Structures are given as structure tokens and as C-alpha cells.
């Protein structure tokens, strides 16, 4: 693993050579540091922080200030990985000027190296304007969580002919607009394969099968930090919820029993000093 900073050039080279891109989410300094030290290529500070750490039911309530706050924490913990900041709901829809201002905040205030935004042809001009200002943009097609109410739920996208053709057209449109990579979320495996084979830019899959040029997961899903069933596309590599719960319970029991803190957890003072205090 090279210690060289990951850039958009790294993505382009990976597409040419067939090297798989690894990407995970992080929302704070300690997790960002661990992900970076593990050699992950890119860290997405996703608006999924609304679900993962802020307790919202969706990504819709996440604001620009939320995003900048968490991106700043993540970039302080990263040396090698490319940090990509999500543009939250309505931060790039009202006007091109506002979209550019908000994207600029993610780089200038947050310290990220790129932004990610959802959508196809309808955001192509906005992407083009960002790229012309020197802002690297990652696209996001398929299941786009910011449009979840319009989609009617978390459903696989592109299963019928009309949806599949629209996905292909949208991918070409945002590629032409200048994205350096495209996240494909909950897209049928054969369609994701077709997109990967025909696009010049990297595809990053999440629930889109093994043929994409890279993969991304929500780190909290990977680590098993949530109760309940994980998404079908997420593989649980650990069960930290159980381990953390065990540690917290042990702490509570030791405090209540007097077992913690022990002598090894305290600090002494000279007896002659203590005697003068009585």
C-alpha cells in the first residue's frame, strides 16, 4: 500500500489498470483515522450521518452546517485517503450560485478533496459548473436517498427497461459533465456491469454487485454497530454492538460493586503532605 495521497488521478489510473477502489464512510476523527490507517482509498462523509450518528429516519434533515462540521472532524484524522463530502438535500437545487457556494464550503471550510451529489441529467449543468471551478465531483445514481419520498421507499432501481435506459443516459450525461466517479446504489448486477464496461470513469458499487470498479459501505453496517437486520448489500465483518454493550455493562457492574476503580487506577501523594491537611 502506497502512502501517496489519493486523488482523482488515482481513480483514473485504477480504471485503466483494473485495481479495485475501496471506500467507506466516516463521520468523526477517531473513525476516520482508523479507516485511513487501514489503507482504505476514499472516505465518504455521507449525509448518511443523519441515520448513522444523528438519529434521523432519513438523510433529508441533514444540513450544510452538519456536513461541514463532520467533514472537518474527518479531515483532521486523515493522511492518505481522499475525503469526499456529500452535498445534502437542497444544497445544490435552488440555484447554481448556491450550489457552487455550498460545494466550495465543503472544500474550503471542511477540507475535503471532492464533493458527491445525487442525480443525473437534471444536475449535469451544476456538475459542469463545479468542475469548471476546480471542484472534483463524484456522481450518485440508482437509489438516491435524498429522493426516497419520490421513489416510494428503498427499492432497487433500473429493473425495467425504462428505468435502465434512464440510468444509462444519466450516467453518460454526468460523465460528460465531468464527474471523476459514479456511485451506483441498489442497481441490478447486470446493469451495473454494463455501466462499468461502457463508462470511462470509475463506478463505485453499493448493492450493485462485484463488477464495479470499487465498493463503498457504511462503516457502521460493516462493523455491526446497529441492532436489527442490515441491508442486503452490506456484509457484517464484526458485531461491535454486542461487544460495546458487554463492555458498558461490565463497567456499570464494576462501579456498583466497587471493583472499579482499583489501586492501579489512582494516584498517591506523600504522607507528610497528607498529614498536614488534617
Amino acid at each position: 500500500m502506497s502512502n501517496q495521497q489519493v486523488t482523482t488521478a488515482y481513480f483514473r489510473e485504477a480504471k485503466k489498470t483494473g485495481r479495485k477502489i475501496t471506500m467507506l464512510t466516516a463521520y468523526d476523527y477517531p473513525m476516520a483515522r482508523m479507516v485511513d490507517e487501514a489503507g482504505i482509498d476514499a472516505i465518504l462523509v455521507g449525509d448518511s450521518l443523519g441515520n448513522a450518528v444523528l438519529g434521523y429516519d432519513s438523510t433529508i434533515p441533514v444540513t450544510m452546517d452538519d456536513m461541514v462540521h463532520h467533514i472537518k472532524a474527518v479531515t483532521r484524522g486523515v493522511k492518505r485517503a481522499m475525503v469526499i463530502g456529500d452535498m445534502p438535500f437542497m444544497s445544490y437545487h435552488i440555484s447554481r450560485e448556491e450550489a457552487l457556494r455550498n460545494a466550495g464550503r465543503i472544500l474550503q471550510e471542511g477540507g475535503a478533496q471532492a464533493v458527491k451529489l445525487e442525480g443525473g441529467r437534471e444536475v449535469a449543468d451544476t456538475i459542469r459548473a463545479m468542475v469548471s471551478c476546480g471542484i472534483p465531483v463524484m456522481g450518485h445514481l440508482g437509489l438516491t436517498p435524498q429522493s426516497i419520498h419520490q421513489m416510494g421507499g428503498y427499492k432497487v432501481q433500473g429493473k425495467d427497461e425504462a428505468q435502465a435506459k434512464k440510468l444509462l443516459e444519466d450516467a453518460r450525461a454526468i460523465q460528460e459533465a465531468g464527474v471523476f466517479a459514479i456511485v451506483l446504489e441498489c442497481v441490478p448486477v447486470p446493469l451495473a456491469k454494463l455501466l462499468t464496461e461502457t463508462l470511462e470513469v470509475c463506478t463505485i458499487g453499493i448493492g450493485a454487485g462485484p463488477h464495479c470498479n470499487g465498493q463503498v459501505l457504511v462503516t457502521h453496517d460493516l462493523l455491526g454497530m446497529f441492532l436489527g437486520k442490515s441491508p442486503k448489500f452490506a456484509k457484517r465483518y464484526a458485531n461491535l454492538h454486542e461487544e460495546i454493550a458487554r463492555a458498558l455493562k461490565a463497567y456499570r457492574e464494576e462501579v456498583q460493586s466497587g471493583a472499579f476503580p482499583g489501586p492501579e487506577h489512582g494516584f498517591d501523594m506523600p504522607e507528610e503532605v497528607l498529614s498536614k491537611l488534617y
Side-chain angles (χ1 to χ4, degrees), residues 3 30 41 56 60 115 143 147 152 161 169 177 211:
N3 291 323
D41 297 317
Y56 296 134
I60 303 298
V115 303
L143 173 59
S147 305
E161 182 180 354
E169 292 168 1
H211 305 294

Side-chain angles (χ1 to χ4, degrees), residues 21-275:
I21 296 285
T22 57
M23 188 159 103
L24 287 173
T25 61
Y27 314 109
D28 56 33
Y29 172 85
M31 185 62 76
R33 185 168 177 176
M34 287 188 283
V35 171
D36 187 52
E37 290 174 353
I40 301 301
D41 297 317
I43 295 176
L44 173 65
V45 189
D47 57 1
S48 51
L49 70 88
N51 309 83
V53 298
L54 297 182
Y56 296 134
D57 292 332
S58 73
T59 64
I60 303 298
V62 177
T63 67
M64 271 302 303
D65 286 343
D66 291 332
M67 291 307 307
V68 170
H69 174 82
H70 286 271
I71 292 166
K72 287 167 72 174
V74 166
T75 55
R76 286 193 286 265
V78 173
K79 293 182 179 179
R80 173 185 175 269
M82 172 185 268
V83 177
I84 302 158
D86 247 341
M87 297 203 66
F89 182 64
M90 295 306 293
S91 66
Y92 54 98
H93 303 86
I94 296 171
S95 70
R96 193 169 305 169
E97 290 75 17
E98 186 168 355
L100 291 173
R101 187 180 303 112
N102 286 329
R105 287 189 66 193
I106 287 175
L107 271 65
Q108 192 171 41
E109 295 180 43
Q113 288 83 52
V115 303
K116 181 177 76 65
L117 54 81
E118 299 178 3
R121 287 167 292 180
E122 69 278 6
V123 296
D125 287 342
T126 299
I127 291 170
R128 191 173 289 106
M130 290 177 181
V131 173
S132 70
C133 290
I135 300 172
V137 180
M138 175 178 279
H140 185 156
L141 296 173
L143 173 59
T144 47
Q146 291 175 14
S147 305
I148 200 66
H149 297 310
Q150 188 178 46
M151 290 180 170
Y154 294 92
K155 301 175 181 179
V156 176
Q157 301 296 308
K159 293 181 75 172
D160 62 43
E161 182 180 354
Q163 281 189 349
K165 284 182 176 179
K166 183 180 186 304
L167 261 173
L168 287 163
E169 292 168 1
D170 283 341
R172 294 181 189 120
I174 64 174
Q175 174 179 262
E176 192 276 330
V179 297
F180 68 91
I182 303 174
V183 171
L184 301 176
E185 182 168 358
C186 290
V187 172
V189 174
L191 179 57
K193 183 174 185 289
L194 176 61
L195 283 160
T196 302
E197 290 172 347
T198 57
L199 291 172
E200 296 176 6
V201 298
C202 279
T203 58
I204 308 296
I206 177 167
H211 305 294
C212 295
N213 301 120
Q215 299 291 327
V216 60
L217 283 178
V218 173
T219 303
H220 287 62
D221 289 331
L222 179 155
L223 295 176
M225 294 182 72
F226 294 128
L227 280 173
K229 188 178 180 181
S230 298
K232 180 181 179 180
F233 54 74
K235 181 174 180 179
R236 186 174 288 184
Y237 288 81
N239 193 343
L240 292 195
H241 184 275
E242 286 187 4
E243 182 63 16
I244 292 169
R246 181 204 61 75
L248 298 177
K249 182 180 178 183
Y251 165 76
R252 186 199 74 210
E253 291 173 347
E254 288 196 3
V255 169
Q256 291 174 340
S257 69
F260 176 82
E264 69 274 24
H265 303 116
F267 305 92
D268 211 346
M269 65 185 296
E271 187 64 35
E272 61 270 21
V273 175
L274 181 62
S275 64

